[in-house]
Amino acid sequence: MIKKINLKEQVNSVTELFSYLKVGQLNNHMLNVLKAENRVLDFHVHNQSDEMFYCIEGEFDIEFEDGMTHLSEGDFIIVPKGTLHRPICKKLVKCLLVEMEGTLTKENTGGTYKE
């Protein structure tokens, strides 16, 4: 039987900040949840994959070369491949990230992604 996933339950099961929990796979795309707080990543680009950020709970910003986009609970944004960006999380935020396998690396996650 196909198993349903509750995103809030899954993200609440994550015990460490910045720890990615794979909750699914859609074709060649990974779905990861994580919690982040007081974190600003370096600007980076994903040349091979778009990236989707879905804000499950809390709020955060994504900075681009031409400005900032604020996301609150229930919002999502798709960052097109080749777009310079960086997430800025001041308070606790719980997110779902969707991108092609191999997109997340230690370099573009501040060293916290474990393959």
Side-chain angles (χ1 to χ4, degrees):
M1 176 161 220
I2 297 173
K3 180 181 157 189
K4 73 175 183 174
I5 304 291
N6 184 293
L7 289 178
K8 286 190 176 187
E9 287 175 5
Q10 291 297 305
V11 76
N12 286 333
S13 76
V14 174
T15 57
E16 294 180 40
L17 290 175
F18 321 117
S19 177
Y20 294 77
L21 173 64
K22 186 175 179 180
V23 295
Q25 186 162 344
L26 179 65
N27 299 315
N28 64 341
H29 286 74
M30 297 185 331
L31 288 79
N32 287 287
V33 293
L34 81 147
K35 295 178 186 176
E37 185 175 26
N38 297 321
R39 178 90 163 201
V40 177
L41 291 179
D42 292 336
F43 276 104
H44 62 279
V45 173
H46 304 291
N47 288 315
Q48 304 302 317
S49 177
D50 298 339
E51 182 176 27
M52 187 185 106
F53 293 84
Y54 171 71
C55 185
I56 299 169
E57 188 176 305
E59 56 187 273
F60 68 105
D61 296 305
I62 298 185
E63 187 174 6
F64 301 96
E65 289 180 287
D66 61 351
M68 192 96 67
T69 300
H70 184 76
L71 286 89
S72 298
E73 185 173 324
D75 292 340
F76 78 88
I77 189 169
I78 297 172
V79 179
K81 65 183 174 185
T83 302
L84 190 67
H85 67 285
R86 71 174 177 173
I88 300 172
C89 307
K90 295 179 181 175
K91 298 179 182 177
L92 180 65
V93 63
K94 300 173 185 179
C95 295
L96 169 71
L97 302 177
V98 180
E99 61 261 302
M100 285 177 31
E101 281 188 348
T103 299
L104 293 178
T105 65
K106 286 187 177 211
E107 291 75 30
N108 62 35
T109 61
T112 61
Y113 182 71
K114 297 175 185 145
E115 297 176 42

